[in-house]
Amino acid sequence: MIALVVKVNYKKMIGFLILIAALIWGFSFFSNKLMRSVYPQKYHETVFRYADEYNVDPNLVFAVMKTESNFDPDAVSRKDAKGLMQITDDSGEWLSEKLKIKNYSSDLLYDSETNIRIGTYFLKLLLEEFKEEDIALAAYNGGMGNVRKWLNSDSYSDDGETLHTIPFGETDHYVKKVIKTKAIYDKLYQKE
């Protein structure tokens, strides 16, 4: 029988393991930094203030802003929705009345604080009415009236509370994108 003797240099092995651990930590650290630069928490103080006031998950607000405007306060959609959270003039006027915003004009939708306040409040109302995040997001994008019709149709809802199909392709894509973006925010900022 031949015995195989392996000489192990424990100092080299420990050094190698420390190097591997450092590389993994470094990659994780820089990967996290890179991802946070792609998915930032811009307007952090304002988002957290209104998310807390209206009991809305702040990462949902960040995900909506990222998806809607990529944090551009001057963004205007092809449907003339404005600002960070892409509020239409009609929605802005309706929601500003509910919030008792004095001297409201649609130009205030370009003000980051006002836009975040109105958008977060709108999310609160939609979550209260539709209960489920994905249904509320469908209403945010496709309109409350449309979502109510879909929920009352056997073609789109089995139970009147959830949607198995969103008939507007743009709205379906929007909901999936915001949910995915929120999951990224949840992972990146889970300890905060």
Side-chain angles (χ1 to χ4, degrees):
M1 262 189 156
I2 301 175
L4 183 60
V5 178
V6 177
K7 242 182 162 180
V8 176
N9 184 333
Y10 289 105
K11 286 183 181 178
K12 282 186 179 179
M13 183 188 282
I14 290 172
F16 178 73
L17 291 174
I18 289 171
L19 175 65
I20 295 296
L23 287 172
I24 290 170
W25 177 85
F27 177 76
S28 175
F29 176 78
F30 289 111
S31 173
N32 194 36
K33 282 264 198 215
L34 176 64
M35 287 298 289
R36 283 182 177 215
S37 72
V38 175
Y39 294 91
Q41 287 187 324
K42 290 187 177 181
Y43 307 96
H44 179 273
E45 288 181 20
T46 306
V47 169
F48 275 85
R49 180 175 59 242
Y50 290 117
D52 183 55
E53 183 175 339
Y54 302 133
N55 197 29
V56 174
D57 184 337
N59 285 339
L60 179 61
V61 179
F62 287 119
V64 168
M65 284 196 304
K66 171 78 174 155
T67 303
E68 289 285 1
S69 70
N70 200 25
F71 300 100
D72 178 1
D74 299 319
V76 179
S77 76
R78 56 183 158 68
K79 294 183 181 178
D80 206 33
K82 297 177 173 85
L84 293 166
M85 297 185 74
Q86 293 291 275
I87 310 294
T88 63
D89 290 345
D90 289 343
S91 293
E93 190 170 326
W94 173 64
L95 292 162
S96 69
E97 287 174 15
K98 290 181 118 1
L99 289 166
K100 297 180 180 13
I101 296 174
K102 295 185 191 240
N103 301 316
Y104 173 80
S105 77
S106 62
D107 288 341
L108 283 175
L109 294 174
Y110 296 110
D111 173 68
S112 59
E113 174 135 0
T114 303
N115 192 283
I116 292 168
R117 180 181 181 200
I118 289 173
T120 305
Y121 183 72
F122 192 28
L123 286 171
K124 166 201 159 61
L125 295 178
L126 295 172
L127 288 163
E128 286 175 353
E129 178 171 348
F130 298 110
K131 309 297 183 244
E132 300 295 325
E133 207 168 77
D134 58 337
I135 310 298
L137 290 169
Y140 193 95
N141 179 268
M144 294 184 308
N146 287 324
V147 170
R148 286 184 195 116
K149 286 180 202 170
W150 301 339
L151 289 171
N152 289 320
S153 170
D154 293 341
S155 299
Y156 309 118
S157 177
D158 294 328
D159 58 9
E161 295 178 13
T162 59
L163 295 172
H164 57 72
T165 304
I166 296 175
F168 292 178
E170 177 187 329
T171 299
D172 185 50
H173 175 73
Y174 173 83
V175 169
K176 289 174 181 166
K177 187 172 182 179
V178 174
I179 296 291
K180 180 181 172 186
T181 301
K182 182 181 178 286
I184 292 169
Y185 272 96
D186 287 343
K187 184 172 173 123
L188 284 173
Y189 299 96
Q190 61 189 332
K191 295 175 184 153
E192 295 173 22

